Amino acid sequence: MTDTNYPITPDGRYFVARSRLWRRSDPSLTDAERDARVRDLMAARRAVRDAADDGERRAARERVQTAKVALGERGPVWWCDGAPDESRRHPANSRYAPWWAALDAETRDAGTR
C-alpha cells in the first residue's frame, strides 16, 4: 500500500482508488523529474480551478493532460511487456481479479475510497 493507503497491484503499475485501477507514475523518472512534473500538474490543476472562461479552462485541462502524460499516468504505457493499459477498470474486471479477490476486506475497502 502507498502512503495514502491505497492498494497497489503486485506489479506496481496501478493503485486502486474509488474501486478503479489508476496508473502510477513511471518509476524510471528521477526524483527531480517527478517533482518537476508534479509541480507542473498541480499548477495546471490550479489553472483549471481558477479559469475565468471556457477557453482558459480548456487550455488548463490540456496542461493537465500534458503533465499526466509526462508522469506516465496517461498516454503510452511505461512498461514494455506488451500488457494493455487497464486504467479505470474495476480490479475484479481486469487481469488483477485474482489479486483483488485475495486481498483482505480492510485492504479492499481502502481501494473503494
Side-chain angles (χ1 to χ4, degrees), residues 11-14 77-86 95-96:
D11 58 13
R13 293 176 182 171
Y14 301 94
V77 298
W78 44 260
W79 51 88
C80 56
D81 64 0
D85 185 9
E86 297 196 65
R95 65 189 181 98
Y96 299 101

Side-chain angles (χ1 to χ4, degrees), residues 1 10 22 25 29 31 35 45 54 62 65 67 71 84 86 98 100 104 112:
M1 300 245 279
W22 299 95
S25 298
L29 295 173
D31 288 343
D35 289 348
R45 286 180 171 165
D54 288 342
E62 288 175 16
Q65 174 68 10
L71 282 164
E86 297 196 65
W100 183 249
D104 62 79
T112 64

